[in-house]
Amino acid sequence: MQPKPRANGTAVTEFILLGLVETPGLWPAVFVLFLFAYLVTVGGNLSILAAILVEPKLHTPMYFFLGNLPVLDMGCITVTVPSMLGRLLSHKRTVPYAACLTQLFFFHLLVGVDCFLLTAMAYDRFLAICRPLTYSTRMSQTVQRVLVAVSWACAFSNALTHTVAISTLNFCGPNVINHFYCDLPQLFQLSCSSTQLNELLLFGVGFIMAGTPLALVVTSYIHVAAAVLGIRSVEGRKKAFSTCGSHLTVVAIFYGSGIFNYMRLGSAKLSVKDKAVGIFNTVANPMLNPIIYSLRNPDVQGALWRVIKGRWSLE
């Protein structure tokens, strides 16, 4: 007997997340590995945040934006990994329909803010290197706060749009998701109704919400590269490139994995590659970002060392 549809046209009340591996014998190893990755990610991002807060030399617009990224990285991994670890412990792979949509909303909210903040950081580097005389006025504290607020507002609108759109689809079975968290491509595969409008919405909104920031990042760094190449001092060029290199690396990883994940919606079957990209988006990126931003930055390295040793000045 078929269950009666719910008020919103959905018969499915819960989804089954298969996780990364279906073999129960491998679950303990997966649990230990991802728990370690989670602890390392949270610890690394908290260290970066602490270093920025306690080091006066890092109280600049660039590090104000950078200080927001650890919060987003910790939020992104917390939205996905702890729930997966809980299912591994309880051996219960079901997730309620509402919880699945909630996870989707917060994941897209945090990733969206990350996208816009990376753009704000590129704009900050453009002003600092190409417009140094007006940098302090164009990147005042008010401007910084406005950029962060606009980032959250745009990301909230994007996440809410996709969540509301997915909630209008009918899910009447099957309800098995071959992944470890809920996201749009996996839910599109399970819908009993047409997802054509949802996919068009994803591409249309994605072009505006991700394509425009990416274009601004590329434009900013074209101007930055031209300005840096015009610097006569080798030391000056090296310093300018070192401050931009880590940011460009994070941008490349962020957009590369995101494009691969959402541009394959037309594939008939989601594969193991999609799980690998999901791990990259939710675990590897947040874990790598603190390493990338500290490797070639002596100011951050010095502040981190003082945080670890517990010897910093509050002056």
Side-chain angles (χ1 to χ4, degrees), residues 197-233:
L197 289 177
N198 295 76
E199 292 182 18
L200 288 174
L201 178 67
L202 177 61
F203 287 124
V205 175
F207 179 78
I208 298 172
M209 305 292 286
T212 302
L214 179 59
L216 292 174
V217 170
V218 172
T219 303
S220 296
Y221 273 107
I222 289 175
H223 287 87
V224 167
V228 171
L229 291 175
I231 299 176
R232 295 182 179 180
S233 168

Side-chain angles (χ1 to χ4, degrees), residues 11 18 53 63 115 141 179 217 240 247 256 276 296:
L18 295 182
L53 289 174
Y63 291 106
C115 175
Q141 287 189 354
H179 216 295
V217 170
H247 180 244
R296 298 179 61 187

